[in-house]
Amino acid sequence: MFPLAKNALSRLPVRGIQQTVARQSHHKRTPDFHDKYGNAVLASGATFCIAVWAYVSILD
């Protein structure tokens, strides 16, 4: 590896990134909208889609 590239890589703030990741992993994450309602929204959307397709296919 070239000395210039080796010097540039050694100056990257790897330690700071590792500390930030470690700090963030200890926090309890509160559930967001997708955690609370994601499956219900997906199921209701799929039900609606199937119901509309069934209704349209019956009319045709």
Side-chain angles (χ1 to χ4, degrees):
M1 188 180 274
F2 296 109
L4 182 61
K6 201 182 278 189
N7 188 17
L9 287 176
S10 69
R11 292 178 185 256
L12 287 175
V14 175
R15 176 76 66 192
I17 294 171
Q18 289 172 346
Q19 289 172 351
T20 303
V21 170
R23 249 184 279 134
Q24 289 176 351
S25 67
H26 293 299
H27 290 291
K28 286 190 175 182
R29 193 174 68 87
T30 59
D32 61 359
F33 178 83
H34 299 287
D35 293 332
K36 289 182 181 178
Y37 308 112
N39 290 335
V41 170
L42 180 65
S44 64
T47 303
F48 177 77
C49 182
I50 290 168
V52 168
W53 275 103
Y55 178 75
V56 169
S57 66
I58 289 171
L59 289 179
D60 196 20

